[in-house]
Amino acid sequence: MIIVVNNNISDSEYKELISYLKEKKAEIHEVRGVEKRIIGVIGNKHKLDKDAIITFEGVEKVIPIIESYKIASRQMHPQATIIEVGKVKIGGIQPVKMAGPCSVESEEQIWQSAEEMAKQGVDILRGGIFKPRSSPYSFQGIGEIGLPWLRDAGKHYGLPVISEVMQIKQIEDMYDYVDIYQVGARNMQNFKLLEELGKTDKPIMLKRGIAATLNEFLMSAEYILSQGNNKVILCERGIRTFVEFSRNTLDINIIPMIKNVSHLPIIVDPSHATGRRDLIIPTTLAGLTAGADGFIVEVHPNPHVALSDGAQQLNFSQFAKLIEDYKIIENSVEILRAKKMKEIEKDASSSLQ
Ligand code: PEP
Ligand code: MN
């Protein structure tokens, strides 16, 4: 349930309410909004009486959370969540640009990529170290040796880095080397991995599984959030459909849908959604226009020799073209984002009135 509390409540009255809830063993999540405070009560182990809660000073309303995901729901947190990674803000007015190779392949390749991505105004450098491959005979990632290469290249050019974590053990191994942990589509429902990531203090980018429904996607986010880590970034990377000309189908619909039902930022990944470089630019622009908080695109110094996902990686000049095209709509996208953000937040707050 959600307890809506007036912001004029005194500190002692608020404390009294909180200790009552704790006494009842309620798991609570507090959100301080501009006009109201919201206390989310999660789980069903507590024995809370709605009629008793409403009698507390400052409590305006007690409403049930309708969705099965709770902490991820927009109801619980009307304001959009903004996740800060160094100087980069994910979920704010400016969409975030993440780019870099599918896989880190050598020290030289990642340094070359970092230099070029920084030059082209990218905010976050990507590079897979541990790779989930469909075939056991394909390149499985450079492994641990690549971690300092990625971190140092990023650091040198002022770029925070993101890389995929596939196993619980790797959380610790990667901790000092990455700024954002990526959970891949194949691990979206690896619940034990998600729970462990929920205990870290680093942002997690959770990619949508190839056949995951909206509800399953947000329930996976909930696994991370419920452990105390509220820095969850969602990523739409295409779903499996009957379409045969592209690797997956970018589900544009889920972007505005997520915005309606959740406060979490969502990034669009046109590389894995299409699997083909000729579709990357239009789908990136479509994703951003639909409200995505940024994009993640695979870029390689020479995609023809890439050890993974060669067909979908852009070379440096193709990526420059993406940036050039994005600049044409950048201003309008930001104006639209600010407008939509206000509208959605207003609607979500008024449902708490
Ligand atoms: C990747 O980002 O390289 C990757 C493997 O993505 P996904 O998990 O979306 O397939
Ligand atoms: Mn890839």
Side-chain angles (χ1 to χ4, degrees):
M1 66 174 75
I2 289 176
I3 305 171
V4 183
V5 181
N6 197 303
N7 251 349
N8 298 329
I9 191 171
S10 72
D11 283 350
S12 62
E13 285 164 348
Y14 190 72
K15 268 191 200 139
E16 204 179 313
L17 172 61
I18 295 293
S19 43
Y20 170 80
L21 297 171
K22 286 191 174 157
E23 236 167 67
K24 296 277 179 192
K25 307 234 174 322
E27 189 196 316
I28 57 173
H29 291 264
E30 298 168 70
V31 181
R32 188 158 193 167
V34 193
E35 291 165 26
K36 317 262 178 219
R37 288 190 198 194
I38 293 166
I39 306 170
V41 181
I42 317 293
N44 51 10
K45 288 191 204 104
H46 53 79
K47 288 213 162 47
L48 281 179
D49 179 5
K50 184 179 164 201
D51 296 335
I53 297 171
I54 200 86
T55 64
F56 276 79
E57 216 49 58
V59 173
E60 290 187 355
K61 232 177 171 184
V62 180
I63 39 183
I65 307 177
I66 321 151
E67 315 294 356
S68 37
Y69 42 87
K70 310 288 179 194
I71 313 171
S73 79
R74 176 70 82 164
Q75 228 185 336
M76 172 120 159
H77 196 293
Q79 262 82 34
T81 284
I82 297 179
I83 295 166
E84 296 189 23
V85 186
K87 282 185 244 150
V88 183
K89 287 192 171 72
I90 306 173
I93 299 297
Q94 273 188 334
V96 167
K97 306 182 197 87
M98 304 189 193
C102 175
S103 299
V104 172
E105 296 169 1
S106 68
E107 193 167 10
E108 194 198 350
Q109 174 242 21
I110 193 65
W111 273 79
Q112 222 183 327
S113 304
E115 181 184 19
E116 183 66 24
M117 294 304 93
K119 207 161 83 188
Q120 295 206 31
V122 160
D123 302 301
I124 291 170
L125 178 68
R126 69 152 284 152
I129 298 278
F130 305 107
K131 297 301 299 177
R133 302 307 303 281
S134 301
S135 163
Y137 308 118
S138 304
F139 174 62
Q140 301 289 311
I142 198 85
E144 244 165 284
I145 191 179
L147 285 169
W149 301 344
L150 176 65
R151 178 194 60 190
D152 296 347
K155 215 173 226 156
H156 185 83
Y157 292 103
L159 300 173
V161 300
I162 179 168
S163 196
E164 177 162 354
V165 57
M166 290 172 60
Q167 299 172 32
I168 292 174
K169 179 191 162 295
Q170 291 165 353
I171 300 175
E172 208 184 317
D173 298 344
M174 294 172 74
Y175 189 84
D176 292 331
Y177 299 96
V178 300
D179 300 286
I180 306 175
Y181 288 110
Q182 172 175 318
V183 177
R186 292 156 188 83
N187 270 315
M188 189 204 81
Q189 287 187 314
N190 184 340
F191 301 122
K192 287 289 165 222
L193 177 66
L194 300 180
E195 273 180 355
E196 288 308 311
L197 287 166
K199 295 174 191 159
T200 72
D201 57 1
K202 284 194 197 279
I204 315 294
M205 187 174 85
L206 177 67
K207 298 186 99 179
R208 183 183 183 186
I210 63 164
T213 63
L214 172 87
N215 202 61
E216 287 163 346
F217 193 15
L218 286 171
M219 288 309 281
S220 286
E222 194 82 8
Y223 266 93
I224 303 170
L225 296 165
S226 65
Q227 296 302 311
N229 186 348
N230 55 11
K231 297 179 215 158
V232 178
I233 305 152
L234 303 169
C235 177
E236 161 57 27
R237 46 77 72 207
I239 47 171
R240 181 66 60 85
T241 69
F242 60 83
V243 167
E244 80 304 339
F245 65 87
S246 58
R247 183 171 171 185
N248 290 294
T249 297
L250 177 62
D251 181 12
I252 283 283
N253 301 2
I254 205 169
I255 297 168
M257 192 64 210
I258 289 279
K259 291 287 162 198
N260 287 341
V261 299
S262 178
H263 53 91
L264 298 173
I266 179 159
I267 300 293
V268 66
D269 173 350
S271 304
H272 296 87
T274 64
R276 15 185 326 163
R277 70 175 62 84
D278 58 339
L279 300 183
I280 307 291
I281 296 180
T283 47
T284 303
L285 302 185
L288 293 172
T289 315
D293 296 287
F295 61 77
I296 182 161
V297 165
E298 291 187 337
V299 185
H300 192 285
N302 182 3
H304 302 298
V305 298
L307 298 179
S308 60
D309 288 350
Q312 69 195 31
Q313 302 209 57
L314 302 179
N315 65 26
F316 294 160
S317 62
Q318 288 159 344
F319 184 69
K321 185 145 189 329
L322 186 156
I323 297 291
E324 185 191 318
D325 285 4
Y326 173 54
K327 290 229 164 91
I328 298 172
I329 62 162
E330 190 173 21
N331 247 331
S332 311
V333 164
E334 288 179 14
I335 294 168
L336 190 62
R337 285 176 66 71
K339 179 171 175 282
K340 288 285 161 211
M341 223 179 263
K342 261 200 209 126
E343 283 170 10
I344 295 172
E345 287 177 0
K346 194 162 158 246
D347 283 355
S349 306
S350 64
S351 71
L352 299 176
Q353 299 299 320

mmCIF file of all heavy atoms in Angstrom, residues 34-63:
data_model
loop_
_atom_site.group_PDB
_atom_site.id
_atom_site.type_symbol
_atom_site.label_atom_id
_atom_site.label_comp_id
_atom_site.label_asym_id
_atom_site.label_seq_id
_atom_site.Cartn_x
_atom_site.Cartn_y
_atom_site.Cartn_z
ATOM 1 N N VAL A 34 7.833 16.692 -4.002
ATOM 2 C CA VAL A 34 7.774 18.147 -3.811
ATOM 3 C C VAL A 34 6.602 18.509 -2.895
ATOM 4 O O VAL A 34 6.753 19.300 -1.963
ATOM 5 C CB VAL A 34 7.611 18.868 -5.172
ATOM 6 C CG1 VAL A 34 7.857 20.356 -5.037
ATOM 7 C CG2 VAL A 34 8.545 18.271 -6.212
ATOM 8 N N GLU A 35 5.455 17.906 -3.160
ATOM 9 C CA GLU A 35 4.275 18.273 -2.372
ATOM 10 C C GLU A 35 3.944 17.270 -1.268
ATOM 11 O O GLU A 35 3.394 17.635 -0.244
ATOM 12 C CB GLU A 35 3.051 18.376 -3.287
ATOM 13 C CG GLU A 35 3.143 19.563 -4.230
ATOM 14 C CD GLU A 35 2.140 19.453 -5.362
ATOM 15 O OE1 GLU A 35 1.100 18.794 -5.177
ATOM 16 O OE2 GLU A 35 2.419 20.016 -6.427
ATOM 17 N N LYS A 36 4.261 16.024 -1.518
ATOM 18 C CA LYS A 36 3.866 14.978 -0.564
ATOM 19 C C LYS A 36 5.055 14.067 -0.256
ATOM 20 O O LYS A 36 6.000 13.977 -1.034
ATOM 21 C CB LYS A 36 2.779 14.066 -1.178
ATOM 22 C CG LYS A 36 1.694 14.780 -1.917
ATOM 23 C CD LYS A 36 0.481 14.951 -1.065
ATOM 24 C CE LYS A 36 -0.581 15.723 -1.821
ATOM 25 N NZ LYS A 36 -1.306 16.665 -1.030
ATOM 26 N N ARG A 37 4.906 13.392 0.872
ATOM 27 C CA ARG A 37 5.832 12.283 1.124
ATOM 28 C C ARG A 37 5.036 11.019 0.852
ATOM 29 O O ARG A 37 3.838 10.959 1.165
ATOM 30 C CB ARG A 37 6.241 12.252 2.588
ATOM 31 C CG ARG A 37 7.161 13.359 2.959
ATOM 32 C CD ARG A 37 7.669 13.056 4.348
ATOM 33 N NE ARG A 37 8.219 14.267 4.925
ATOM 34 C CZ ARG A 37 8.978 14.293 6.004
ATOM 35 N NH1 ARG A 37 9.266 13.169 6.621
ATOM 36 N NH2 ARG A 37 9.438 15.419 6.472
ATOM 37 N N ILE A 38 5.726 10.056 0.322
ATOM 38 C CA ILE A 38 5.045 8.789 0.055
ATOM 39 C C ILE A 38 5.773 7.694 0.818
ATOM 40 O O ILE A 38 7.003 7.610 0.773
ATOM 41 C CB ILE A 38 5.055 8.491 -1.459
ATOM 42 C CG1 ILE A 38 4.190 9.534 -2.189
ATOM 43 C CG2 ILE A 38 4.558 7.083 -1.752
ATOM 44 C CD1 ILE A 38 4.397 9.540 -3.659
ATOM 45 N N ILE A 39 5.006 6.903 1.532
ATOM 46 C CA ILE A 39 5.604 5.734 2.184
ATOM 47 C C ILE A 39 5.002 4.506 1.516
ATOM 48 O O ILE A 39 3.787 4.299 1.566
ATOM 49 C CB ILE A 39 5.316 5.713 3.700
ATOM 50 C CG1 ILE A 39 5.757 7.036 4.354
ATOM 51 C CG2 ILE A 39 6.020 4.536 4.369
ATOM 52 C CD1 ILE A 39 5.282 7.181 5.797
ATOM 53 N N GLY A 40 5.856 3.733 0.877
ATOM 54 C CA GLY A 40 5.383 2.503 0.247
ATOM 55 C C GLY A 40 5.564 1.361 1.228
ATOM 56 O O GLY A 40 6.634 1.220 1.827
ATOM 57 N N VAL A 41 4.532 0.591 1.429
ATOM 58 C CA VAL A 41 4.649 -0.584 2.300
ATOM 59 C C VAL A 41 4.586 -1.816 1.400
ATOM 60 O O VAL A 41 3.629 -2.020 0.667
ATOM 61 C CB VAL A 41 3.521 -0.616 3.352
ATOM 62 C CG1 VAL A 41 3.691 -1.831 4.259
ATOM 63 C CG2 VAL A 41 3.517 0.665 4.173
ATOM 64 N N ILE A 42 5.669 -2.577 1.419
ATOM 65 C CA ILE A 42 5.808 -3.706 0.500
ATOM 66 C C ILE A 42 5.611 -5.021 1.237
ATOM 67 O O ILE A 42 5.889 -5.113 2.422
ATOM 68 C CB ILE A 42 7.230 -3.699 -0.129
ATOM 69 C CG1 ILE A 42 7.656 -2.291 -0.540
ATOM 70 C CG2 ILE A 42 7.348 -4.674 -1.285
ATOM 71 C CD1 ILE A 42 6.879 -1.688 -1.671
ATOM 72 N N GLY A 43 5.220 -6.025 0.497
ATOM 73 C CA GLY A 43 5.104 -7.373 1.074
ATOM 74 C C GLY A 43 3.773 -7.553 1.795
ATOM 75 O O GLY A 43 2.975 -6.620 1.917
ATOM 76 N N ASN A 44 3.534 -8.770 2.269
ATOM 77 C CA ASN A 44 2.250 -8.996 2.934
ATOM 78 C C ASN A 44 2.413 -9.699 4.275
ATOM 79 O O ASN A 44 1.496 -10.292 4.794
ATOM 80 C CB ASN A 44 1.314 -9.783 2.000
ATOM 81 C CG ASN A 44 2.008 -11.031 1.472
ATOM 82 O OD1 ASN A 44 3.094 -11.361 1.967
ATOM 83 N ND2 ASN A 44 1.412 -11.709 0.514
ATOM 84 N N LYS A 45 3.644 -9.587 4.826
ATOM 85 C CA LYS A 45 3.875 -10.276 6.104
ATOM 86 C C LYS A 45 3.340 -9.454 7.281
ATOM 87 O O LYS A 45 3.058 -9.972 8.335
ATOM 88 C CB LYS A 45 5.372 -10.530 6.283
ATOM 89 C CG LYS A 45 5.876 -11.626 5.357
ATOM 90 C CD LYS A 45 7.288 -12.058 5.735
ATOM 91 C CE LYS A 45 7.990 -12.664 4.548
ATOM 92 N NZ LYS A 45 8.972 -11.773 3.943
ATOM 93 N N HIS A 46 3.224 -8.154 7.066
ATOM 94 C CA HIS A 46 2.767 -7.270 8.141
ATOM 95 C C HIS A 46 1.253 -7.384 8.327
ATOM 96 O O HIS A 46 0.528 -7.835 7.443
ATOM 97 C CB HIS A 46 3.131 -5.832 7.787
ATOM 98 C CG HIS A 46 2.637 -5.437 6.434
ATOM 99 N ND1 HIS A 46 1.336 -5.088 6.201
ATOM 100 C CD2 HIS A 46 3.260 -5.383 5.224
ATOM 101 C CE1 HIS A 46 1.179 -4.814 4.925
ATOM 102 N NE2 HIS A 46 2.328 -5.007 4.304
ATOM 103 N N LYS A 47 0.815 -6.923 9.504
ATOM 104 C CA LYS A 47 -0.638 -6.898 9.750
ATOM 105 C C LYS A 47 -1.015 -5.443 9.959
ATOM 106 O O LYS A 47 -1.123 -4.971 11.077
ATOM 107 C CB LYS A 47 -0.961 -7.725 10.999
ATOM 108 C CG LYS A 47 -0.817 -9.210 10.786
ATOM 109 C CD LYS A 47 -1.819 -9.998 11.623
ATOM 110 C CE LYS A 47 -2.021 -11.413 11.146
ATOM 111 N NZ LYS A 47 -0.814 -12.157 10.861
ATOM 112 N N LEU A 48 -1.170 -4.745 8.857
ATOM 113 C CA LEU A 48 -1.451 -3.324 8.976
ATOM 114 C C LEU A 48 -2.920 -3.052 8.753
ATOM 115 O O LEU A 48 -3.546 -3.606 7.865
ATOM 116 C CB LEU A 48 -0.627 -2.543 7.955
ATOM 117 C CG LEU A 48 0.837 -2.297 8.311
ATOM 118 C CD1 LEU A 48 1.495 -1.533 7.190
ATOM 119 C CD2 LEU A 48 0.989 -1.545 9.621
ATOM 120 N N ASP A 49 -3.418 -2.137 9.568
ATOM 121 C CA ASP A 49 -4.820 -1.792 9.480
ATOM 122 C C ASP A 49 -4.914 -0.398 8.857
ATOM 123 O O ASP A 49 -4.471 0.590 9.435
ATOM 124 C CB ASP A 49 -5.401 -1.823 10.905
ATOM 125 C CG ASP A 49 -6.860 -1.439 10.909
ATOM 126 O OD1 ASP A 49 -7.431 -1.255 9.821
ATOM 127 O OD2 ASP A 49 -7.419 -1.314 12.023
ATOM 128 N N LYS A 50 -5.493 -0.352 7.690
ATOM 129 C CA LYS A 50 -5.634 0.898 6.951
ATOM 130 C C LYS A 50 -6.352 1.963 7.806
ATOM 131 O O LYS A 50 -5.964 3.134 7.844
ATOM 132 C CB LYS A 50 -6.437 0.592 5.675
ATOM 133 C CG LYS A 50 -6.585 1.747 4.761
ATOM 134 C CD LYS A 50 -7.367 1.374 3.525
ATOM 135 C CE LYS A 50 -7.813 2.646 2.835
ATOM 136 N NZ LYS A 50 -8.904 2.541 1.952
ATOM 137 N N ASP A 51 -7.388 1.534 8.505
ATOM 138 C CA ASP A 51 -8.170 2.479 9.319
ATOM 139 C C ASP A 51 -7.347 3.075 10.457
ATOM 140 O O ASP A 51 -7.579 4.205 10.865
ATOM 141 C CB ASP A 51 -9.425 1.795 9.889
ATOM 142 C CG ASP A 51 -10.360 1.368 8.768
ATOM 143 O OD1 ASP A 51 -10.289 1.995 7.683
ATOM 144 O OD2 ASP A 51 -11.130 0.412 8.959
ATOM 145 N N ALA A 52 -6.398 2.295 10.944
ATOM 146 C CA ALA A 52 -5.551 2.813 12.022
ATOM 147 C C ALA A 52 -4.550 3.821 11.460
ATOM 148 O O ALA A 52 -4.295 4.870 12.052
ATOM 149 C CB ALA A 52 -4.829 1.661 12.713
ATOM 150 N N ILE A 53 -3.999 3.508 10.306
ATOM 151 C CA ILE A 53 -2.973 4.383 9.717
ATOM 152 C C ILE A 53 -3.549 5.765 9.386
ATOM 153 O O ILE A 53 -2.918 6.793 9.619
ATOM 154 C CB ILE A 53 -2.367 3.740 8.445
ATOM 155 C CG1 ILE A 53 -1.660 2.441 8.819
ATOM 156 C CG2 ILE A 53 -1.374 4.682 7.760
ATOM 157 C CD1 ILE A 53 -1.220 1.614 7.632
ATOM 158 N N ILE A 54 -4.754 5.779 8.884
ATOM 159 C CA ILE A 54 -5.361 7.042 8.453
ATOM 160 C C ILE A 54 -5.584 8.007 9.637
ATOM 161 O O ILE A 54 -5.663 9.216 9.465
ATOM 162 C CB ILE A 54 -6.669 6.762 7.649
ATOM 163 C CG1 ILE A 54 -7.056 7.964 6.787
ATOM 164 C CG2 ILE A 54 -7.816 6.316 8.517
ATOM 165 C CD1 ILE A 54 -6.393 7.961 5.456
ATOM 166 N N THR A 55 -5.613 7.446 10.845
ATOM 167 C CA THR A 55 -5.819 8.317 12.017
ATOM 168 C C THR A 55 -4.553 9.077 12.414
ATOM 169 O O THR A 55 -4.599 9.994 13.200
ATOM 170 C CB THR A 55 -6.292 7.502 13.254
ATOM 171 O OG1 THR A 55 -5.222 6.598 13.605
ATOM 172 C CG2 THR A 55 -7.565 6.727 12.971
ATOM 173 N N PHE A 56 -3.413 8.694 11.861
ATOM 174 C CA PHE A 56 -2.162 9.398 12.216
ATOM 175 C C PHE A 56 -2.169 10.815 11.654
ATOM 176 O O PHE A 56 -2.669 11.056 10.540
ATOM 177 C CB PHE A 56 -0.946 8.631 11.683
ATOM 178 C CG PHE A 56 -0.492 7.527 12.596
ATOM 179 C CD1 PHE A 56 -1.160 6.312 12.619
ATOM 180 C CD2 PHE A 56 0.593 7.720 13.450
ATOM 181 C CE1 PHE A 56 -0.755 5.298 13.465
ATOM 182 C CE2 PHE A 56 0.999 6.703 14.298
ATOM 183 C CZ PHE A 56 0.319 5.480 14.311
ATOM 184 N N GLU A 57 -1.644 11.726 12.407
ATOM 185 C CA GLU A 57 -1.520 13.128 11.996
ATOM 186 C C GLU A 57 -0.728 13.213 10.688
ATOM 187 O O GLU A 57 0.301 12.542 10.530
ATOM 188 C CB GLU A 57 -0.746 13.850 13.114
ATOM 189 C CG GLU A 57 -1.156 15.264 13.419
ATOM 190 C CD GLU A 57 -2.662 15.431 13.611
ATOM 191 O OE1 GLU A 57 -3.253 14.774 14.502
ATOM 192 O OE2 GLU A 57 -3.221 16.221 12.861
ATOM 193 N N GLY A 58 -1.205 13.972 9.745
ATOM 194 C CA GLY A 58 -0.452 14.188 8.491
ATOM 195 C C GLY A 58 -0.760 13.178 7.400
ATOM 196 O O GLY A 58 -0.452 13.419 6.236
ATOM 197 N N VAL A 59 -1.367 12.042 7.761
ATOM 198 C CA VAL A 59 -1.674 11.039 6.728
ATOM 199 C C VAL A 59 -2.917 11.481 5.952
ATOM 200 O O VAL A 59 -3.966 11.759 6.534
ATOM 201 C CB VAL A 59 -1.916 9.635 7.344
ATOM 202 C CG1 VAL A 59 -2.404 8.645 6.285
ATOM 203 C CG2 VAL A 59 -0.627 9.125 7.982
ATOM 204 N N GLU A 60 -2.768 11.599 4.648
ATOM 205 C CA GLU A 60 -3.897 12.076 3.838
ATOM 206 C C GLU A 60 -4.694 10.938 3.226
ATOM 207 O O GLU A 60 -5.889 11.039 3.035
ATOM 208 C CB GLU A 60 -3.373 12.956 2.702
ATOM 209 C CG GLU A 60 -2.834 14.276 3.203
ATOM 210 C CD GLU A 60 -2.474 15.211 2.067
ATOM 211 O OE1 GLU A 60 -2.550 14.799 0.898
ATOM 212 O OE2 GLU A 60 -2.100 16.353 2.371
ATOM 213 N N LYS A 61 -3.988 9.889 2.892
ATOM 214 C CA LYS A 61 -4.638 8.831 2.124
ATOM 215 C C LYS A 61 -3.864 7.525 2.259
ATOM 216 O O LYS A 61 -2.637 7.554 2.400
ATOM 217 C CB LYS A 61 -4.588 9.228 0.640
ATOM 218 C CG LYS A 61 -5.897 9.181 -0.067
ATOM 219 C CD LYS A 61 -5.716 9.658 -1.486
ATOM 220 C CE LYS A 61 -6.957 9.408 -2.279
ATOM 221 N NZ LYS A 61 -6.826 9.743 -3.661
ATOM 222 N N VAL A 62 -4.553 6.423 2.189
ATOM 223 C CA VAL A 62 -3.890 5.121 2.116
ATOM 224 C C VAL A 62 -4.467 4.408 0.896
ATOM 225 O O VAL A 62 -5.684 4.209 0.810
ATOM 226 C CB VAL A 62 -4.146 4.275 3.390
ATOM 227 C CG1 VAL A 62 -3.438 2.932 3.289
ATOM 228 C CG2 VAL A 62 -3.675 5.030 4.638
ATOM 229 N N ILE A 63 -3.609 4.119 -0.081
ATOM 230 C CA ILE A 63 -4.132 3.491 -1.302
ATOM 231 C C ILE A 63 -3.349 2.220 -1.652
ATOM 232 O O ILE A 63 -2.146 2.151 -1.412
ATOM 233 C CB ILE A 63 -4.125 4.459 -2.518
ATOM 234 C CG1 ILE A 63 -2.869 5.329 -2.523
ATOM 235 C CG2 ILE A 63 -5.359 5.304 -2.588
ATOM 236 C CD1 ILE A 63 -2.833 6.336 -3.651
#
